[in-house]
Amino acid sequence: MARVLITRALPFAALERLHEAGHQVTVHPGPDPLDPPALRALVAATDPDGILCALTEQIDATLLRAAPGLRVVANFAVGTDNIDLAACAARGVAVGNTPDVLTDATADLAFALLLAAARRLAEGERDVRAGAWTTWVPDGWLGADVHGATLAVVGAGRIGEAVARRAAGFDMEVLRVGRRDDLHAALARAAFVSLHVPLTPATHHLIDAAALAACRPGAILVNTARGAVVDQVALAAALTSGHLAAAALDVTDPEPLPPADPLLRAPNLLVVPHIGSATRGARERMAEIAVANVLAGLAGRALPHPVA
Ligand code: GLV
């Protein structure tokens, strides 16, 4: 029997397998994530062999010091920027994530955001509810053509490729940006830019003021990657000046944005609450993989989905 700490209540059937395997499972029951001191205190109190965490928890060297027996960390996410991988490696703690099973859900959401921003769906819906729609308007709520437009897919991984496949169905020209050197040239050509890079020191503020200035005037930015890939001060300026026509964000830095954040006052900003993988099917499968990672790590086996 091993001790497993689940840092957020995850109401998915796969979690039962931890109990069935005879492990002692502690679940932080609250709806909200624990702040770092509270998480550290819970970790110190439970001394877990395995942690199943969400992207809302920082698993860093300080936390690891509170868990001397820790052998495996399973992230309920594909992104692992919330985990200090070097510190885990130094301690011999295996780390797993949940790739593949959320690729299509996240690509669907990226495309939904792209379409919504292009066709001004949020604005139109607000106007209808506010009674501002009184008749069909020949030049009202004009948006951008999606079909046949050029899309820069920044990040050449699984989700970027899945977005590119969807773009093919809209007869879009896809510019795949796999190297930083190619970024500005692609931005200069693209009517739409969709971000799919992991957050690392190298991609922090990849979309900075210079990158935004390199964008084609009137471009639309979609971010379903991580908020900190974009310099949000520069983004607010680009939206305010009208250089960008719109931005549609599933992710921000921080999450959620404080109500007073200037980005929320920028025009033509659509923001949704980090729901890229939020389909029932994707989240069930993420739970299955996270549990499989925990069970393998506790058994001393290679994780089915290790983080390289
Ligand atoms: C979600 O953002 C994830 O990384 O799974």
Side-chain angles (χ1 to χ4, degrees):
M1 184 200 73
R3 286 181 296 273
V4 179
L5 174 62
I6 305 180
T7 61
R8 298 289 298 274
L10 301 172
F12 301 108
L15 276 291
E16 275 311 307
R17 289 177 55 209
L18 293 171
H19 296 280
E20 286 162 12
H23 296 309
Q24 181 187 319
V25 180
T26 304
V27 183
H28 161 57
D32 295 324
L34 292 164
D35 63 23
L39 179 61
R40 216 160 38 243
L42 183 59
V43 165
T46 50
D47 189 15
D49 303 285
I51 293 180
L52 199 167
C53 61
L55 51 77
T56 42
E57 281 80 59
Q58 294 298 320
I59 309 296
D60 55 18
T62 312
L63 189 86
L64 292 181
R65 277 195 287 280
L70 190 63
R71 285 179 273 151
V72 58
V73 173
N75 213 26
F76 185 70
V78 66
T80 50
D81 47 284
N82 58 312
I83 300 177
D84 185 335
L85 298 177
C88 287
R91 265 278 309 275
V93 173
V95 178
N97 67 345
T98 61
D100 298 321
V101 294
L102 47 61
T103 296
D104 284 310
T106 307
D108 287 348
L109 195 267
F111 228 83
L113 289 175
L114 186 156
L115 288 166
R119 300 303 300 272
R120 302 169 61 175
L121 297 193
E123 184 187 344
E125 206 260 357
R126 277 195 302 271
D127 289 346
V128 170
R129 287 182 188 278
W133 180 41
T134 53
T135 181
W136 185 86
V137 185
D139 60 350
W141 298 282
L142 298 184
D145 283 315
V146 173
H147 65 275
T150 302
L151 167 67
V153 173
V154 181
R158 289 172 284 241
I159 298 174
E161 275 309 313
V163 169
R165 285 197 295 279
R166 282 152 180 76
F170 283 76
D171 294 327
M172 298 179 92
E173 181 190 3
V174 178
L175 310 175
R176 290 173 172 78
V177 182
R179 291 175 344 123
R180 198 183 186 115
D181 286 353
D182 299 333
L183 178 64
H184 284 207
L187 295 179
R189 286 187 52 205
F192 297 92
V193 178
S194 192
L195 305 179
H196 302 288
V197 288
L199 176 62
T200 66
T203 62
H204 185 265
H205 286 193
L206 177 70
I207 306 300
D208 58 6
L212 290 166
C215 285
R216 185 168 132 177
I220 291 176
L221 176 72
V222 176
N223 189 5
T224 53
R226 285 291 183 268
V229 172
V230 176
D231 176 343
Q232 293 178 168
V233 174
L235 175 60
L239 289 168
T240 303
S241 73
H243 179 62
L244 282 194
L249 311 178
D250 182 40
V251 288
T252 58
D253 179 25
E255 292 181 354
L257 287 176
D261 193 291
L263 183 59
L264 289 175
R265 291 197 297 278
N268 303 324
L269 177 80
L270 173 60
V271 57
V272 296
H274 201 148
I275 52 173
S277 67
T279 68
R280 282 183 215 294
R283 291 277 165 90
E284 289 282 0
R285 290 188 291 271
M286 288 165 66
E288 282 164 17
I289 290 182
V291 167
N293 279 334
V294 172
L295 290 173
L298 295 179
R301 287 185 274 110
L303 306 196
H305 292 280
V307 176

